[in-house]
Amino acid sequence: MAYSAEPSSSLSFTSSPPLSNGSISHNVSCSGSESVPNLEVISLSKLSSSLEQLLVDPGCDFSDADIVIEGIPVGVHRCILASRSRFFRELFKREKGSSGKEGRPRYSMSDLLPYGDVGYEAFLFFLSYVYTGKLKPSPMEVSTCVHNGCAHDACRPAINFVVELMYAASVFQMPDLVSIFERRLLNFVGKALPDNVIPILVVAFHCQLNQLIAEGIERVARSDIDDISIEKGLPDEVVKKIKVLRCKAQQDCVSNLPPVDPLREKRIRRIHKALDSDDVELVKLLLTESNITLDEANALHYAAAYCDPKVVTEVLDLGLADVNLRNSRGYTVLHIAVMRKEPSIIVLLLTKGARASELTSDGQNAVSICRRLTRPKDYHSKTEQGQEANKDRICIDVLEREMRRNPMAGDTSISSQIMPDDLHMELLNLENRVCL
């Protein structure tokens, strides 16, 4: 009697090379099927998920210390932080922290950072990686803006969130995270508006990220950002390198650029310093002595960007400045003011005839600029009684109401006698609405 041989399934055992910890993993595989997942990977994944429960499950609150960020205490487990970060290991050895609830040690984030800021959401994101070894998606409420047409791939909130994470990774000595966030910031440098490269350069300088510093300096040097904005926003060492690159570019340029008058530049700087000192009377004296006008010094732009609102009022009251003047970059005073997001200055400029419909060279009006700078968290936040009103929401609402009322705003002869009272009333009403 003949028997035909049936095909039989076979098991094969393959030995893998030694792992980094010295152990050897053995993969059990069936012919014609995928390899059985590595048991070590499964174990690490389970450990990661278990540790994550310590952060997300209120019933698993076994934390033994608090770190206070933006007035909010965040419970942490010192043994985990100490095992993952040399910074925290040394901190917990050296300092017991102030006594919080139930005698728990309490540390303030502002005391831990020698430079920069780390917000609440950024620290939770950082903690999640420390506990689990995994990067979560960035929280939309703090890493995007409220502009509907923005791709959020290089807007200011997206950049600021990664900048905060870089400060945390660098200060708390997590080199693997530093490498990840440096790559993200390098990507931003190529995409972002030149103004948004400034905070990237600042964090690169403090965290000593040489490649990021070099690429950021190159980008800013090639941009049209004026020297004053660079000096106000960047460390002196970085400013000097940018100016050296600009000088070389000007020397290599074949076009005949108008010569710079050192005396004129010096007089303009004096006017700006007088504004910094809130001394408008000195400004008037300097204007008389130097034969330089407020518009030639871009004095109103400067005041809207850096000075107290009352100084802006006093400069406008001189009646010598064009409220819709464009600076060398094509920005009006209102464009500069919305970057600062100070409602009182925005309302003041609108009452003096500033046109909200004016566009920048890249097609942005004041509302779109403001929206691209505002996070959903700030736009939708509620203001508790007795606290400062939600300035982000007020700025956008005031500008949008002005656009609806006067979308073209092409005629500066429109009666400004009605506008001041209307706009100030709107500002008060909006503040009250936000508080409620």
Side-chain angles (χ1 to χ4, degrees), residues 5-225:
E6 296 273 341
S8 60
S9 62
S10 62
L11 293 174
S12 64
F13 295 81
T14 60
S15 178
S16 300
L19 299 173
S20 59
N21 60 4
S23 63
I24 298 177
S25 66
H26 299 279
N27 294 327
V28 181
S29 63
C30 299
S31 62
S33 64
E34 295 182 357
S35 298
V36 177
N38 189 302
L39 294 179
E40 185 173 354
V41 173
I42 296 174
S43 298
L44 289 173
S45 180
K46 287 183 177 180
L47 175 61
S48 175
S49 299
S50 298
L51 290 174
E52 188 175 21
Q53 293 302 308
L54 297 175
L55 292 174
V56 301
D57 187 353
C60 294
D61 184 13
F62 305 113
S63 59
D64 59 358
D66 291 320
I67 296 179
V68 181
I69 311 137
E70 299 174 0
I72 306 171
V74 176
V76 298
H77 305 76
R78 285 178 293 175
C79 58
I80 296 177
L81 290 183
S83 66
R84 296 277 280 147
S85 161
R86 187 174 65 181
F87 173 90
F88 283 110
R89 184 161 61 250
E90 296 300 323
L91 173 70
F92 298 145
K93 280 183 183 178
R94 184 176 67 252
E95 299 179 18
K96 298 301 181 182
S98 60
S99 181
K101 64 177 183 178
E102 301 174 358
R104 290 156 56 107
R106 173 168 288 198
Y107 306 87
S108 172
M109 177 61 74
S110 58
D111 294 336
L112 302 182
L113 298 174
Y115 44 77
D117 295 303
V118 176
Y120 176 76
E121 289 80 9
F123 185 64
L124 291 185
F125 186 98
F126 170 81
L127 272 187
S128 176
Y129 178 83
V130 170
Y131 277 59
T132 69
K134 299 176 182 178
L135 284 176
K136 297 171 62 177
S138 299
M140 300 288 286
E141 67 272 14
V142 292
S143 62
T144 62
C145 67
V146 293
H147 191 288
N148 293 332
C150 182
H152 309 306
D153 57 346
C155 59
R156 190 60 171 264
I159 290 173
N160 285 348
F161 185 69
V162 180
V163 165
E164 290 181 20
L165 292 173
M166 177 58 83
Y167 279 125
S170 176
V171 172
F172 302 145
Q173 300 177 24
M174 298 287 290
D176 47 346
L177 274 183
V178 170
S179 178
I180 291 171
F181 297 140
E182 183 177 14
R183 289 196 297 272
R184 290 192 186 181
L185 292 174
L186 284 168
N187 183 48
F188 282 143
V189 168
K191 293 181 177 180
L193 294 172
D195 300 87
N196 293 339
V197 178
I198 298 294
I200 297 177
L201 258 177
V202 173
V203 71
F205 174 79
H206 286 305
C207 300
Q208 300 179 358
L209 307 171
N210 294 330
Q211 183 183 357
L212 190 56
I213 292 173
E215 295 199 17
I217 286 175
E218 179 70 24
R219 177 70 198 284
V220 172
R222 288 187 286 105
S223 74
D224 61 352
I225 301 180

